[in-house]
Amino acid sequence: MQKRACLELLSAGRSFSAAAAISYSLPSLAFDYAELEPSVSARIMEIHHSKHHQTYVTNLNASLEKYAAAEAKKDIATCIALQGAIKFNGGGHVNHTLFWENLAPKSKGGGGSPSGELGKAIDAKWGNFDNFKSTMSATTAAVQGSGWGWLGYDPAEKGLKIVTCANQDPCSTTGCVPLLGIDVWEHAYYLDYVNVRPDYLKAIWDVVDFKTVESRFAAATK
Ligand code: MN3
């Protein structure tokens, strides 16, 4: 990955330090860990945010530091070797940052339905909101192994799309702008739902914040 593309990819939560490497930090949440219950337990939220997401941030920063050192030495072999770690941990950071922002407790706007232009676009593509939800849940449930389901906006086709990504590949690798992400790594649901991923994918809609999804759609289509 070219460094420039890498920087564009990793636009979330970035700050510049005196060193050549860029450092990222764990974003704070707009709600308490327990506030997404019963859809997502406080225990899952705490581990998911403070352990899993933190680890992606820590490993991303370490990889970028090594990358900057290798680049300064014109050590292209090391730069190439680091690209997998940058994609995985950078994707993990970008994906989780988007995910937390598109979740909210019911008391703070979670569990609503899309309105405005997004609501119209969803109805035009899937007939109605319930059909969209069941289609996205089914598509996301079918991810093999660890990955993500996304509602994305495809600028080439000027339309909405449901896409899935393996591991921590960001939605942008599909050519779509991410609007709504659902994490289906086992760490996102196993403590609450054990092996029944579809039950998690039913309950998650009660804490999706469509105001965030609408503003992402507006930004992508303007
Ligand atoms: Mn996760």
Side-chain angles (χ1 to χ4, degrees):
M1 193 186 312
Q2 298 269 322
K3 189 171 186 195
R4 186 182 179 82
C6 158
L7 299 185
E8 281 165 3
L9 170 68
L10 305 171
S11 59
R14 104 186 168 191
S15 64
F16 291 89
S17 66
I22 287 170
S23 109
Y24 292 83
S25 54
L26 185 68
S28 54
L29 303 181
F31 45 83
D32 294 333
Y33 290 142
E35 281 188 283
L36 299 185
E37 292 188 346
S39 293
V40 185
S41 67
R43 182 79 177 129
I44 280 189
M45 279 305 301
E46 182 182 1
I47 297 169
H48 201 172
H49 178 253
S50 73
K51 305 291 184 194
H52 288 279
H53 190 170
Q54 179 62 60
T55 301
Y56 297 121
V57 169
T58 301
N59 291 341
L60 172 62
N61 288 336
S63 300
L64 289 174
E65 223 168 89
K66 286 183 202 160
Y67 190 100
E71 195 182 38
K73 288 190 288 186
K74 295 197 185 324
D75 178 359
I76 189 66
T78 299
C79 286
I80 291 167
L82 285 163
Q83 285 175 9
I86 292 170
K87 182 179 185 186
F88 181 75
N89 293 293
H93 176 49
V94 167
N95 290 338
H96 287 87
T97 300
L98 290 163
F99 183 49
W100 309 136
E101 288 171 358
N102 67 225
L103 297 178
K106 278 186 177 172
S107 61
K108 295 176 182 169
S113 52
S115 59
E117 292 306 309
L118 178 66
K120 282 185 219 163
I122 284 175
D123 287 349
K125 174 115 189 183
W126 288 283
N128 57 56
F129 181 48
D130 282 341
N131 193 43
F132 157 72
K133 284 194 290 188
S134 57
T135 305
M136 179 149 171
S137 291
T139 305
T140 306
V143 168
Q144 291 185 335
S146 299
W148 290 75
W150 292 95
L151 171 66
Y153 177 73
D154 184 340
E157 295 182 11
K158 296 197 192 320
L160 295 173
K161 252 187 200 172
I162 294 168
V163 294
T164 60
C165 294
N167 305 310
Q168 294 297 357
D169 293 0
C171 179
S172 55
T173 59
T174 68
C176 289
V177 178
L179 305 178
L180 164 64
I182 303 177
D183 187 345
V184 287
W185 280 58
E186 285 187 345
H187 67 226
Y189 63 86
Y190 210 88
L191 286 176
D192 293 347
Y193 300 93
V194 291
N195 59 317
V196 192
R197 186 188 272 180
D199 282 357
Y200 160 69
L201 286 164
K202 264 183 219 149
I204 197 76
W205 295 106
D206 289 339
V207 291
V208 168
D209 181 2
F210 273 97
K211 287 283 159 257
T212 301
V213 186
E214 284 167 26
S215 65
R216 289 176 185 161
F217 181 64
T221 52
K222 87 172 175 211

